[in-house]
Amino acid sequence: MTSVLLKNGRVVDPANGRDGVFDVLVRDGLIAAVGKDLDVPEGVTVLEVPAGCVVTPGLIDMHVHLRDPGQEHKETVKTGVTAAVAGGFTAVACMPNTSPVNDTAAVTRYILTRAAEAGLARVYPIGAVSVGLKGEQLAEIGELKAAGCVAISDDGFPVRTALMMRRALEYAEMLGVLVIDHCEDLTLKGDGVVHEGAVATALGLRGIPGEAEEINVERDITLAGLTKAPVHIAHLSTAGSLRAVRAGKARGIRVTCEVMPHHFVLTDEALRGYDTNTKMNPPLRPAADRDALIAGIADGSVDVIATDHAPHHADEKALPYDQAPFGITGLETAVSLTFDHLVHRGVIDLSRMVTLMSVNPARILGVPGGSLAEGAAADVTVLAPDLEVTVDRQAMKSLSKNTPFDGWTLRGGVAATFVDGRLVHRNTRVAGLTAWPSAPVE
Amino acid sequence: MSAAPVTSLQGRHLLGIDDLSPDEVRLVLDTADAMKEVAARPIKKVPALRGRTIVNLFFEPSTRTRTSFEIAEKRLSADTLNIAVSTSSVVKGETLLDTVDNIEAMSPDMLVVRHGSSGACHQLARHCRSRIVNAGDGMHEHPTQALLDAYTIRQHKGRLDGLQVAIIGDLMHSRVLRSNLLLLRKMGATVRVCAPRPLLPAGIEALGAVPCRTVEEALEDADVVMMLRIQLERMHALFFPSLREYFTLFGLTPARLALARPDAIVMHPGPMNRGVEIASEVADGSRAVILEQVANGVAVRMAVLYLVAGGGED
């Protein structure tokens, strides 16, 4: 069933300047028409969009870890894309820190094969900047691109040296590939595990100053200026980093950035009690940084909301705080956190939410999507802005359950997800959706 | 409205000073007074914890604290067992929680835990049936050390309230600092702290400490001087250039001690590095109460174990 008419939903499609009640006609997996009171052609199933629900271009998470190959006890491509569509994402871009590292076409093709088998969300592999993420030799970026990588990153680590970053920017720009950098000065980070400050001091946990991130953000923006190449700052988390990005943009440098829901929702106060699900990198920051990120999201300095979905097994997160791995899952909470903490609090409107979670990720990665234009692949997310969602980690589709938001009640969620016009996820808790056909992920 | 007098810590863990009210601190110190008398007896044993099993679970090497707990337990007639990291299954890759599950399967009443990770005792407390007494978790807390220090101070000064206490040394990595700071602030003392700036923890003022730029400023008119151990390997992490320069700038010498009040006492949680944080003349001098701290440690730990086990209710 890839021919459907989504009837009478509020359509929010900022790329085409649309915000109003329309029908969306999908034929053979493509958007055929968006308009009022469209006729129903033969063979097209009519799906009434429940009152209050919103039809948007499919959401794209440009920063996830699918852990496959190599750490399939945390996540597989299949469980990862299942979590993605359950969270409203029709596409994800996955980081190369798998085992083996995605620094060869063979690994890229393996990931794409697994994604095709799963047949849920699109998967855009991100290749490594350096062989083995070691920062010593450039990976074969041309081959990675030919195999299907849409960007390169050493995520998990920063691109180690200024020279390596310069060369990567130049070489990738030649090929039309984006460089995404995890900004962190490893020498300044040392053995830190949480944000350096009063909370870390009270808890006796080793600190990482925000400046460890900011030094590399400044470096990358400076080098993007030198090379006239685009750079994307991954998981930006401090006020100082945001100032650097704003200043870079003002100078005409091609810098973009993403912010994670946990960084605009939580502060380092959440560390009290030593729940290892509050440990991620970059770490939770104080309220001043959190508030600056919210302001940056509101004023447009922040380009993207992504999740840094980082599944870890419960056994790994049961280690003592300083030994537990960094990272939390994010695919299945991002929409609810964004609604509850940004849209419903008046920080951004729905159109801006769609821009941050669909239009801009597509534009920055240079992939299709982010638009309900006629002829586009029918990747569509139906959002339920007023749905009351109680986060239940046991009910999550991700293989890992490492979220700090378990038990939280949030306003706003996902009603349904379509990829290539196919209903891949249906949330039966949304009134009216029980009348829809069933979906592979419910 | 005053609450009912605090008479026990039954059913509680002792994870940190953070969990104790001022009345509960006083209860421990008063109980330690009674326990101290046991050490003076020819037969140093009371039957208070007869039939109770206490496991001393030390994931970090410790001589002084482990010995002190063990003597305290034996004087209370508890059955005690020591498990040290080098002989445990941890080296075989067993996790902390699995190790503790196995010990708990043998029905101990209390676990005295030292662990190198901050928060490890909090994680165990959420997981275990047994009462947990924190014998030092990472850089976080070492509550019985702070209690024995407070006991020693009270013994000499008659009070904690209104005292000027100087704490000097590796503040960054010190659980002794954090527990002492919390306890002394809770009981009304002023705490001045001093360290080489790289060893000054961010936001230490938020815990109520008054940072001083020089050791002289910290010492001036102090009632109590508490020196913290400098770990010899810290200079390799660039916290300070050399032990020699550390002693020059921060070491407690007789000349510096003269800045404190004439009746000031000198404390050290041990083990000491003579000639690094403290000159031998001071360590062995008449103002040093360092061995009294060790002696009092047994009485204070007896009090903690007794109260956590439910003693003191009547």
Side-chain angles (χ1 to χ4, degrees):
Chain A
M1 183 201 63
T2 56
S3 294
V4 295
L5 183 76
L6 288 167
K7 187 121 194 87
N8 277 329
R10 178 180 164 196
V11 174
V12 175
D13 178 17
N16 295 293
R18 249 191 220 107
D19 184 351
V21 176
F22 296 99
D23 297 343
V24 177
L25 177 64
V26 174
R27 300 201 74 171
D28 301 323
L30 303 177
I31 303 287
V34 179
K36 300 267 186 195
D37 303 317
L38 296 180
D39 293 330
V40 186
E42 185 117 0
V44 169
T45 311
V46 176
L47 302 175
E48 289 285 343
V49 177
C53 285
V54 177
V55 179
T56 74
L59 306 184
I60 300 169
D61 186 348
M62 68 181 289
H63 192 144
V64 304
H65 298 268
L66 297 180
R67 306 298 190 206
D68 185 2
Q71 296 187 301
E72 294 87 350
H73 65 293
K74 300 179 191 234
E75 194 81 287
T76 64
V77 172
K78 184 178 168 85
T79 59
V81 293
T82 304
V85 297
F89 293 99
T90 57
V92 295
C94 60
M95 287 296 175
N97 59 340
T98 46
S99 181
V101 167
N102 185 12
D103 58 5
T104 59
V107 176
T108 306
R109 281 195 292 267
Y110 165 86
I111 294 167
L112 289 171
T113 302
R114 288 284 172 270
E117 286 165 5
L120 295 167
R122 293 176 202 283
V123 174
Y124 296 116
I126 296 171
V129 169
S130 65
V131 174
L133 308 177
K134 289 188 164 76
E136 291 163 1
Q137 184 184 344
L138 286 177
E140 291 177 341
I141 301 164
E143 180 182 278
L144 289 169
K145 183 192 179 185
C149 285
V150 297
I152 54 171
S153 178
D154 276 354
D155 187 59
F157 301 104
V159 176
R160 297 299 200 294
T161 64
L163 180 65
M164 170 70 79
M165 188 65 181
R166 177 196 180 159
R167 298 296 186 234
L169 286 166
E170 289 169 336
Y171 196 83
E173 195 276 338
M174 168 187 85
L175 296 169
V177 172
L178 176 70
V179 179
I180 301 173
D181 198 19
H182 162 121
C183 288
E184 181 175 44
D185 183 311
L186 294 176
T187 65
L188 191 53
K189 176 196 180 192
D191 51 7
V193 293
V194 299
H195 179 75
E196 177 179 301
V199 176
T201 292
L203 294 175
L205 295 171
R206 292 169 203 270
I208 310 168
E211 286 75 2
E213 172 177 313
E214 292 160 11
I215 284 173
N216 264 26
V217 171
E218 298 273 11
R219 177 197 79 173
D220 287 357
I221 293 171
T222 303
L223 293 172
L226 171 67
T227 58
K228 303 193 171 30
V231 67
H232 181 76
I233 307 298
H235 44 52
L236 182 142
S237 72
T238 77
S241 296
L242 193 59
R243 272 197 302 276
V245 167
R246 278 200 192 102
K249 287 180 172 181
R251 297 204 315 271
I253 291 169
R254 298 163 72 188
V255 56
T256 52
C257 70
E258 66 193 25
V259 164
M260 279 47 197
H262 47 270
H263 285 130
F264 65 70
V265 170
L266 298 172
T267 68
D268 60 352
E269 288 295 329
L271 308 178
R272 296 187 194 277
Y274 298 98
D275 177 0
T276 55
N277 290 322
T278 61
K279 180 178 175 183
M280 70 285 286
N281 189 17
L284 296 175
R285 305 288 189 187
D289 286 312
R290 192 260 323 260
D291 294 347
L293 298 184
I294 291 173
I297 290 167
D299 71 17
S301 312
V302 172
D303 300 281
V304 169
I305 292 173
T307 68
D308 198 4
H309 178 78
H312 290 293
H313 194 273
D315 289 348
E316 295 155 340
K317 280 292 196 180
L319 290 168
Y321 201 96
D322 56 351
Q323 297 169 24
F326 291 99
I328 62 169
T329 58
L331 282 166
E332 295 170 80
T333 47
V335 162
S336 293
L337 291 167
T338 302
F339 266 124
D340 194 278
H341 278 67
L342 298 180
V343 177
H344 293 315
R345 296 185 187 189
V347 176
I348 55 172
D349 60 14
L350 249 170
S351 165
R352 178 86 192 132
M353 174 174 169
V354 173
T355 300
L356 287 160
M357 300 182 80
S358 176
V359 180
N360 285 353
R363 176 178 57 80
I364 291 166
L365 288 174
V367 299
S371 163
L372 297 178
E374 277 178 36
D379 290 1
V380 179
T381 301
V382 182
L383 299 171
D386 294 309
L387 182 70
E388 187 179 286
V389 173
T390 299
V391 178
D392 173 5
R393 64 172 157 208
Q394 293 313 325
M396 286 185 169
K397 308 295 183 192
S398 171
L399 199 53
S400 291
K401 315 296 176 190
N402 50 314
T403 173
F405 301 111
D406 189 42
W408 284 38
T409 296
L410 299 163
R411 182 176 154 218
V414 176
T417 311
F418 295 84
V419 175
D420 282 330
R422 174 171 166 245
L423 179 65
V424 289
H425 165 62
R426 176 182 73 149
N427 183 351
T428 53
R429 287 191 55 249
V430 176
L433 282 204
T434 44
W436 288 23
S438 64
V441 179
E442 303 220 319
Chain B
M1 187 191 115
S2 69
V6 183
T7 57
S8 165
L9 299 173
Q10 186 175 24
R12 299 263 298 272
H13 303 285
L14 181 65
L15 302 179
I17 297 298
D18 213 16
D19 307 332
L20 297 180
S21 69
D23 279 345
E24 287 165 345
V25 171
R26 275 187 284 272
L27 172 68
V28 173
L29 303 187
D30 293 346
T31 308
D33 270 332
M35 295 298 176
K36 194 157 185 202
E37 179 262 329
V38 175
R41 295 183 191 176
I43 294 176
K44 301 179 179 58
K45 213 170 181 74
V46 290
L49 296 188
R50 194 165 54 197
R52 307 287 185 108
T53 304
I54 303 179
V55 177
N56 300 317
L57 189 55
F58 277 63
F59 294 90
E60 255 189 1
S62 159
T63 306
R64 171 173 333 231
T65 303
R66 193 187 51 70
T67 309
S68 178
F69 268 107
E70 194 179 348
I71 292 178
E73 290 152 4
K74 287 183 164 34
R75 288 192 179 161
L76 291 168
S77 305
D79 297 316
T80 72
L81 175 70
N82 295 315
I83 299 178
V85 67
S86 53
T87 56
S88 83
S89 312
V90 172
V91 289
K92 299 174 200 155
E94 193 178 46
T95 69
L96 171 62
L97 297 183
D98 282 338
T99 303
V100 170
D101 281 345
N102 277 277
I103 292 165
E104 283 227 295
M106 296 179 264
S107 306
D109 297 287
M110 237 185 278
L111 302 178
V112 174
V113 181
R114 166 164 292 189
H115 197 284
S117 295
S118 301
C121 295
H122 290 68
Q123 284 175 311
L124 288 183
R126 279 198 292 269
H127 184 79
C128 293
R129 290 185 312 274
S130 316
R131 299 297 100 197
I132 307 283
V133 174
N134 183 356
D137 66 318
M139 316 188 311
H140 178 226
E141 281 228 44
H142 190 358
T144 58
Q145 177 73 42
L147 287 162
L148 76 88
D149 288 342
Y151 184 84
T152 307
I153 296 170
R154 199 173 78 164
Q155 194 176 32
H156 282 269
K157 301 291 168 193
R159 65 192 166 103
L160 296 168
D161 186 40
L163 294 178
Q164 299 280 342
V165 181
I167 305 182
I168 296 158
D170 181 356
L171 305 175
M172 173 80 78
H173 302 95
S174 178
R175 52 192 173 219
V176 176
L177 165 78
R178 285 166 178 80
S179 286
N180 263 300
L181 183 53
L182 289 166
L183 188 150
L184 291 165
R185 294 293 298 139
K186 213 177 273 271
M187 305 309 285
T190 301
V191 181
R192 299 185 212 141
V193 297
C194 186
R197 262 208 65 189
L199 287 170
L200 188 70
I204 192 72
E205 312 88 298
L207 292 179
V210 181
C212 296
R213 290 187 69 87
T214 65
V215 77
E216 287 77 13
E217 187 187 334
L219 287 170
E220 193 174 351
D221 292 329
D223 297 291
V224 176
V225 180
M226 201 179 281
M227 302 307 291
L228 299 176
R229 174 180 167 75
I230 284 290
Q231 298 204 344
L232 304 183
E233 65 275 16
R234 297 289 181 215
M235 62 185 177
H236 301 304
L238 311 180
F239 287 109
F240 55 89
S242 68
L243 297 176
R244 180 170 168 272
E245 175 147 313
Y246 185 86
F247 183 71
T248 308
L249 293 179
F250 295 93
L252 187 63
T253 57
R256 286 202 172 112
L257 183 57
L259 296 168
R261 289 177 55 92
D263 60 348
I265 57 171
V266 175
M267 309 177 74
H268 194 299
M272 277 188 290
N273 295 303
R274 291 167 181 267
V276 179
E277 68 262 8
I278 189 165
S280 280
E281 300 93 299
V282 176
D284 301 328
S286 61
R287 320 267 284 277
V289 298
I290 296 165
L291 293 177
E292 286 176 51
Q293 290 172 266
V294 178
N296 290 338
V298 175
V300 167
R301 290 181 174 116
M302 286 171 76
V304 165
L305 296 167
Y306 174 71
L307 291 167
V308 170
E313 280 176 298
D314 322 314

